[in-house]
Amino acid sequence: MLAATANPASADSDIILKSSRGYFLYHDDGDMFRVCDTNADGHGVTGVLMENNDNSPVPGYGEVLRVDDGGDSGCDKAGFNVQPSPSYTYQMRFWWNGGGGTLSSVAFRE
């Protein structure tokens, strides 16, 4: 499943992608990304932050952050400074490492 918008949403609150196997959370206050594997099935989950610079000569999203969780207690997290610029658009993607589809957020800006 892939979601996209022509006018990106503003990231002035938390964004969460959730499935029966876990979740990927962006906490805007502090620019923190947290991935949690909530199903002890032998496979972890992965969350990826994609960035698009509208002024780049090469169009499209590129990966700027990857956070994996699974096989240990607790969630994993990492910080990334989401640029407060109208030139940068971001998208979160989340999947279960055992196969299946990818969940994607709408495009957003800081």
Side-chain angles (χ1 to χ4, degrees), residues 51-62:
E51 177 184 75
N52 181 43
N53 180 345
D54 299 335
N55 297 322
S56 173
V58 181
Y61 284 97

mmCIF file with all atom_site columns, all heavy atoms in Angstrom, residues 51-62:
data_model
loop_
_atom_site.group_PDB
_atom_site.id
_atom_site.type_symbol
_atom_site.label_atom_id
_atom_site.label_alt_id
_atom_site.label_comp_id
_atom_site.label_asym_id
_atom_site.label_entity_id
_atom_site.label_seq_id
_atom_site.pdbx_PDB_ins_code
_atom_site.Cartn_x
_atom_site.Cartn_y
_atom_site.Cartn_z
_atom_site.occupancy
_atom_site.B_iso_or_equiv
_atom_site.pdbx_formal_charge
_atom_site.auth_seq_id
_atom_site.auth_comp_id
_atom_site.auth_asym_id
_atom_site.auth_atom_id
_atom_site.pdbx_PDB_model_num
ATOM 1  N N   . GLU A 1 51 ? 13.331 11.134 2.447   1.00 0.00 ? 51 GLU A N   1
ATOM 2  C CA  . GLU A 1 51 ? 13.393 12.585 2.289   1.00 0.00 ? 51 GLU A CA  1
ATOM 3  C C   . GLU A 1 51 ? 13.460 12.927 0.800   1.00 0.00 ? 51 GLU A C   1
ATOM 4  O O   . GLU A 1 51 ? 14.155 12.271 0.028   1.00 0.00 ? 51 GLU A O   1
ATOM 5  C CB  . GLU A 1 51 ? 14.644 13.113 2.992   1.00 0.00 ? 51 GLU A CB  1
ATOM 6  C CG  . GLU A 1 51 ? 14.857 14.612 2.848   1.00 0.00 ? 51 GLU A CG  1
ATOM 7  C CD  . GLU A 1 51 ? 16.166 15.043 3.484   1.00 0.00 ? 51 GLU A CD  1
ATOM 8  O OE1 . GLU A 1 51 ? 17.237 14.785 2.877   1.00 0.00 ? 51 GLU A OE1 1
ATOM 9  O OE2 . GLU A 1 51 ? 16.124 15.603 4.585   1.00 0.00 ? 51 GLU A OE2 1
ATOM 10 N N   . ASN A 1 52 ? 12.739 13.970 0.420   1.00 0.00 ? 52 ASN A N   1
ATOM 11 C CA  . ASN A 1 52 ? 12.777 14.476 -0.947  1.00 0.00 ? 52 ASN A CA  1
ATOM 12 C C   . ASN A 1 52 ? 13.102 15.957 -0.897  1.00 0.00 ? 52 ASN A C   1
ATOM 13 O O   . ASN A 1 52 ? 12.419 16.723 -0.230  1.00 0.00 ? 52 ASN A O   1
ATOM 14 C CB  . ASN A 1 52 ? 11.431 14.256 -1.640  1.00 0.00 ? 52 ASN A CB  1
ATOM 15 C CG  . ASN A 1 52 ? 11.435 14.755 -3.078  1.00 0.00 ? 52 ASN A CG  1
ATOM 16 O OD1 . ASN A 1 52 ? 12.393 14.541 -3.805  1.00 0.00 ? 52 ASN A OD1 1
ATOM 17 N ND2 . ASN A 1 52 ? 10.375 15.414 -3.473  1.00 0.00 ? 52 ASN A ND2 1
ATOM 18 N N   . ASN A 1 53 ? 14.158 16.368 -1.602  1.00 0.00 ? 53 ASN A N   1
ATOM 19 C CA  . ASN A 1 53 ? 14.503 17.777 -1.719  1.00 0.00 ? 53 ASN A CA  1
ATOM 20 C C   . ASN A 1 53 ? 13.955 18.263 -3.053  1.00 0.00 ? 53 ASN A C   1
ATOM 21 O O   . ASN A 1 53 ? 14.433 17.852 -4.112  1.00 0.00 ? 53 ASN A O   1
ATOM 22 C CB  . ASN A 1 53 ? 16.016 17.974 -1.648  1.00 0.00 ? 53 ASN A CB  1
ATOM 23 C CG  . ASN A 1 53 ? 16.429 19.432 -1.758  1.00 0.00 ? 53 ASN A CG  1
ATOM 24 O OD1 . ASN A 1 53 ? 15.653 20.286 -2.157  1.00 0.00 ? 53 ASN A OD1 1
ATOM 25 N ND2 . ASN A 1 53 ? 17.665 19.699 -1.402  1.00 0.00 ? 53 ASN A ND2 1
ATOM 26 N N   . ASP A 1 54 ? 12.958 19.126 -2.998  1.00 0.00 ? 54 ASP A N   1
ATOM 27 C CA  . ASP A 1 54 ? 12.308 19.609 -4.213  1.00 0.00 ? 54 ASP A CA  1
ATOM 28 C C   . ASP A 1 54 ? 13.258 20.362 -5.133  1.00 0.00 ? 54 ASP A C   1
ATOM 29 O O   . ASP A 1 54 ? 12.979 20.511 -6.320  1.00 0.00 ? 54 ASP A O   1
ATOM 30 C CB  . ASP A 1 54 ? 11.120 20.513 -3.855  1.00 0.00 ? 54 ASP A CB  1
ATOM 31 C CG  . ASP A 1 54 ? 10.059 19.778 -3.055  1.00 0.00 ? 54 ASP A CG  1
ATOM 32 O OD1 . ASP A 1 54 ? 9.973  18.543 -3.163  1.00 0.00 ? 54 ASP A OD1 1
ATOM 33 O OD2 . ASP A 1 54 ? 9.314  20.438 -2.321  1.00 0.00 ? 54 ASP A OD2 1
ATOM 34 N N   . ASN A 1 55 ? 14.383 20.838 -4.615  1.00 0.00 ? 55 ASN A N   1
ATOM 35 C CA  . ASN A 1 55 ? 15.345 21.594 -5.418  1.00 0.00 ? 55 ASN A CA  1
ATOM 36 C C   . ASN A 1 55 ? 16.470 20.725 -5.976  1.00 0.00 ? 55 ASN A C   1
ATOM 37 O O   . ASN A 1 55 ? 17.365 21.229 -6.641  1.00 0.00 ? 55 ASN A O   1
ATOM 38 C CB  . ASN A 1 55 ? 15.954 22.731 -4.587  1.00 0.00 ? 55 ASN A CB  1
ATOM 39 C CG  . ASN A 1 55 ? 14.897 23.733 -4.160  1.00 0.00 ? 55 ASN A CG  1
ATOM 40 O OD1 . ASN A 1 55 ? 13.989 24.034 -4.918  1.00 0.00 ? 55 ASN A OD1 1
ATOM 41 N ND2 . ASN A 1 55 ? 15.007 24.223 -2.942  1.00 0.00 ? 55 ASN A ND2 1
ATOM 42 N N   . SER A 1 56 ? 16.420 19.435 -5.704  1.00 0.00 ? 56 SER A N   1
ATOM 43 C CA  . SER A 1 56 ? 17.475 18.535 -6.160  1.00 0.00 ? 56 SER A CA  1
ATOM 44 C C   . SER A 1 56 ? 17.322 18.254 -7.655  1.00 0.00 ? 56 SER A C   1
ATOM 45 O O   . SER A 1 56 ? 16.211 18.123 -8.159  1.00 0.00 ? 56 SER A O   1
ATOM 46 C CB  . SER A 1 56 ? 17.400 17.214 -5.387  1.00 0.00 ? 56 SER A CB  1
ATOM 47 O OG  . SER A 1 56 ? 18.311 16.288 -5.932  1.00 0.00 ? 56 SER A OG  1
ATOM 48 N N   . PRO A 1 57 ? 18.451 18.117 -8.380  1.00 0.00 ? 57 PRO A N   1
ATOM 49 C CA  . PRO A 1 57 ? 18.353 17.752 -9.799  1.00 0.00 ? 57 PRO A CA  1
ATOM 50 C C   . PRO A 1 57 ? 17.893 16.302 -9.997  1.00 0.00 ? 57 PRO A C   1
ATOM 51 O O   . PRO A 1 57 ? 17.468 15.940 -11.082 1.00 0.00 ? 57 PRO A O   1
ATOM 52 C CB  . PRO A 1 57 ? 19.775 17.960 -10.320 1.00 0.00 ? 57 PRO A CB  1
ATOM 53 C CG  . PRO A 1 57 ? 20.642 17.901 -9.118  1.00 0.00 ? 57 PRO A CG  1
ATOM 54 C CD  . PRO A 1 57 ? 19.822 18.368 -7.961  1.00 0.00 ? 57 PRO A CD  1
ATOM 55 N N   . VAL A 1 58 ? 17.974 15.493 -8.953  1.00 0.00 ? 58 VAL A N   1
ATOM 56 C CA  . VAL A 1 58 ? 17.511 14.105 -9.024  1.00 0.00 ? 58 VAL A CA  1
ATOM 57 C C   . VAL A 1 58 ? 16.221 13.996 -8.223  1.00 0.00 ? 58 VAL A C   1
ATOM 58 O O   . VAL A 1 58 ? 16.240 14.054 -6.990  1.00 0.00 ? 58 VAL A O   1
ATOM 59 C CB  . VAL A 1 58 ? 18.578 13.138 -8.456  1.00 0.00 ? 58 VAL A CB  1
ATOM 60 C CG1 . VAL A 1 58 ? 18.093 11.700 -8.546  1.00 0.00 ? 58 VAL A CG1 1
ATOM 61 C CG2 . VAL A 1 58 ? 19.900 13.314 -9.165  1.00 0.00 ? 58 VAL A CG2 1
ATOM 62 N N   . PRO A 1 59 ? 15.076 13.862 -8.903  1.00 0.00 ? 59 PRO A N   1
ATOM 63 C CA  . PRO A 1 59 ? 13.797 13.831 -8.184  1.00 0.00 ? 59 PRO A CA  1
ATOM 64 C C   . PRO A 1 59 ? 13.572 12.505 -7.462  1.00 0.00 ? 59 PRO A C   1
ATOM 65 O O   . PRO A 1 59 ? 14.151 11.481 -7.814  1.00 0.00 ? 59 PRO A O   1
ATOM 66 C CB  . PRO A 1 59 ? 12.771 14.016 -9.298  1.00 0.00 ? 59 PRO A CB  1
ATOM 67 C CG  . PRO A 1 59 ? 13.439 13.454 -10.515 1.00 0.00 ? 59 PRO A CG  1
ATOM 68 C CD  . PRO A 1 59 ? 14.909 13.747 -10.340 1.00 0.00 ? 59 PRO A CD  1
ATOM 69 N N   . GLY A 1 60 ? 12.731 12.553 -6.449  1.00 0.00 ? 60 GLY A N   1
ATOM 70 C CA  . GLY A 1 60 ? 12.335 11.346 -5.742  1.00 0.00 ? 60 GLY A CA  1
ATOM 71 C C   . GLY A 1 60 ? 12.875 11.289 -4.325  1.00 0.00 ? 60 GLY A C   1
ATOM 72 O O   . GLY A 1 60 ? 13.711 12.078 -3.918  1.00 0.00 ? 60 GLY A O   1
ATOM 73 N N   . TYR A 1 61 ? 12.358 10.319 -3.597  1.00 0.00 ? 61 TYR A N   1
ATOM 74 C CA  . TYR A 1 61 ? 12.718 10.136 -2.193  1.00 0.00 ? 61 TYR A CA  1
ATOM 75 C C   . TYR A 1 61 ? 13.976 9.296  -2.048  1.00 0.00 ? 61 TYR A C   1
ATOM 76 O O   . TYR A 1 61 ? 14.188 8.351  -2.798  1.00 0.00 ? 61 TYR A O   1
ATOM 77 C CB  . TYR A 1 61 ? 11.581 9.440  -1.443  1.00 0.00 ? 61 TYR A CB  1
ATOM 78 C CG  . TYR A 1 61 ? 10.410 10.338 -1.142  1.00 0.00 ? 61 TYR A CG  1
ATOM 79 C CD1 . TYR A 1 61 ? 9.300  10.358 -1.963  1.00 0.00 ? 61 TYR A CD1 1
ATOM 80 C CD2 . TYR A 1 61 ? 10.428 11.163 -0.023  1.00 0.00 ? 61 TYR A CD2 1
ATOM 81 C CE1 . TYR A 1 61 ? 8.215  11.180 -1.680  1.00 0.00 ? 61 TYR A CE1 1
ATOM 82 C CE2 . TYR A 1 61 ? 9.361  11.985 0.267   1.00 0.00 ? 61 TYR A CE2 1
ATOM 83 C CZ  . TYR A 1 61 ? 8.259  11.996 -0.567  1.00 0.00 ? 61 TYR A CZ  1
ATOM 84 O OH  . TYR A 1 61 ? 7.198  12.814 -0.281  1.00 0.00 ? 61 TYR A OH  1
ATOM 85 N N   . GLY A 1 62 ? 14.778 9.633  -1.049  1.00 0.00 ? 62 GLY A N   1
ATOM 86 C CA  . GLY A 1 62 ? 15.944 8.841  -0.679  1.00 0.00 ? 62 GLY A CA  1
ATOM 87 C C   . GLY A 1 62 ? 15.882 8.544  0.808   1.00 0.00 ? 62 GLY A C   1
ATOM 88 O O   . GLY A 1 62 ? 15.384 9.340  1.599   1.00 0.00 ? 62 GLY A O   1
#
